[in-house]
């Protein structure tokens, strides 16, 4: 069964701290792994897209890693800001068959 | 550029009523998608379109119909709404790139069926 599991479900950290979100996937066919940020009441916004041959990709303070052998990905956020409070969603698959995780809800406290 | 816009933002329907959700994009994207998002679950693809006049079923197409008469518009119809269709609906668009297509999302339509 195709599935994407994210952990933790929710996370609270202090502003300025780093954090890492985890994603395990079982998806076929698999050609790419994506991370999206979704603010409350808004649509998802793409952070990173990695093909199966890529190991890491950065977008500012966001760094995603991919291990296609273990079918795991992580999203590391450096020096968190209040505006990072959002849900972070891991997505795996191919262009017309993307399997979306339920997301990790991240809260940044001042 | 407005990007991807959705109309309406909110709607309440009674069981059995029909409605159409409109998605418009001004980025000249070939591909468009309709998703639904339910609490505690990931987004699920309802229907998608790879070009004007073409549509295809996604993961959860039952109870929905779509049309893509113009490249910039993608309509999602509910012919006879059911409480199980209470959800937040997102439209997205993308342009084929030869690799993974980055999808751009609209702000969503929150639909409640009573």
């Amino acid at each position: 069964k195709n599935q994407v599991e994210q952990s933790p479900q929710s996370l609270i950290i202090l502003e300025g701290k780093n954090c890492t979100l985890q994603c395990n996937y079982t998806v076929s066919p698999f050609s790419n792994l994506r991370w999206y940020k979704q603010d409350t009441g808004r649509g998802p916004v793409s952070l990173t897209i990695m093909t199966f041959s890529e190991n890491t990709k950065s977008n500012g303070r966001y760094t995603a890693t991919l291990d296609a052998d273990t079918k795991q990905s992580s999203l590391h956020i450096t020096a968190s800001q209040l505006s990072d409070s959002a849900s972070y969603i891991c997505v795996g698959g191919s262009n017309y068959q993307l399997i979306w995780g339920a997301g990790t809800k991240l809260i940044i406290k001042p | 550029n407005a990007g991807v816009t959705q109309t309406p933002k909110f709607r309440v329907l009674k069981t059995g009523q029909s409605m159409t959700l409109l998605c418009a994009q001004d980025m000249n994207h070939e591909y468009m998608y309709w998703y639904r998002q339910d609490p505690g679950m990931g987004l699920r693809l309802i229907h998608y379109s790879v070009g004007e006049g073409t549509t295809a079923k996604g993961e959860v197409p039952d109870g929905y119909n779509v049309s893509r008469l113009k490249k910039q518009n993608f309509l999602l119809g509910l012919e006879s709404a059911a409480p199980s269709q209470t959800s937040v609906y997102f439209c997205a668009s993308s342009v084929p790139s030869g690799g993974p297509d980055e999808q751009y999302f609209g702000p969503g339509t929150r639909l409640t069926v009573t």
Side-chain angles (χ1 to χ4, degrees):
Chain A
K1 178 185 175 185
N2 284 332
Q3 58 185 15
V4 173
E5 295 181 335
Q6 296 186 241
S7 61
Q9 279 190 320
S10 61
L11 180 63
I12 301 174
I13 64 172
L14 291 176
E15 184 181 11
K17 298 296 186 183
N18 303 337
C19 67
T20 300
L21 313 181
Q22 301 292 342
C23 173
N24 294 333
Y25 63 91
T26 306
V27 178
S28 179
F30 177 78
S31 68
N32 62 85
L33 191 291
R34 308 163 185 230
W35 284 92
Y36 283 84
K37 177 186 180 187
Q38 185 175 22
D39 292 317
T40 301
R42 308 287 292 271
V45 174
S46 178
L47 292 176
T48 63
I49 302 176
M50 292 179 288
T51 65
F52 62 87
S53 60
E54 294 179 287
N55 298 122
T56 185
K57 183 160 280 189
S58 293
N59 178 359
R61 294 180 296 102
Y62 301 101
T63 299
T65 65
L66 174 62
D67 186 333
D69 291 332
T70 62
K71 295 183 170 52
Q72 295 179 326
S73 177
S74 66
L75 180 70
H76 185 75
I77 303 175
T78 304
S80 60
Q81 300 175 358
L82 296 178
S83 59
D84 292 332
S85 292
S87 287
Y88 291 84
I89 306 174
C90 176
V91 188
S94 59
N95 275 347
Y96 305 129
Q97 190 173 344
L98 292 175
I99 307 300
W100 293 69
T104 291
K105 186 174 178 63
L106 177 64
I107 298 172
I108 311 297
K109 287 197 174 292
Chain B
N1 284 356
V4 179
T5 58
Q6 293 183 233
T7 309
K9 288 185 169 51
F10 303 93
R11 185 73 186 269
V12 178
L13 287 179
K14 294 187 188 308
T15 298
Q17 288 184 320
S18 63
M19 77 164 295
T20 299
L21 282 67
L22 171 63
C23 175
Q25 52 94 4
D26 62 0
M27 298 176 283
N28 202 35
H29 285 176
E30 284 293 328
Y31 297 174
M32 297 187 73
Y33 314 80
W34 275 107
Y35 291 90
R36 60 178 288 172
Q37 185 175 38
D38 299 301
M41 299 179 66
L43 271 72
R44 291 180 292 169
L45 183 65
I46 304 171
H47 286 278
Y48 65 96
S49 168
V50 299
E52 184 178 315
T54 70
T55 63
K57 294 180 180 179
E59 181 185 356
V60 289
D62 295 341
Y64 305 95
N65 57 75
V66 289
S67 65
R68 183 104 181 265
L69 298 180
K70 293 183 179 180
K71 184 177 183 179
Q72 64 267 34
N73 295 338
F74 196 27
L75 278 62
L76 178 71
L78 286 73
E79 290 186 346
S80 179
S84 60
Q85 294 178 304
T86 292
S87 188
V88 181
Y89 291 86
F90 287 101
C91 176
S93 69
S94 69
V95 58
S97 63
D101 301 340
E102 180 171 352
Q103 296 185 11
Y104 295 83
F105 283 80
T109 294
R110 185 173 294 274
L111 175 66
T112 302
V113 183
T114 62

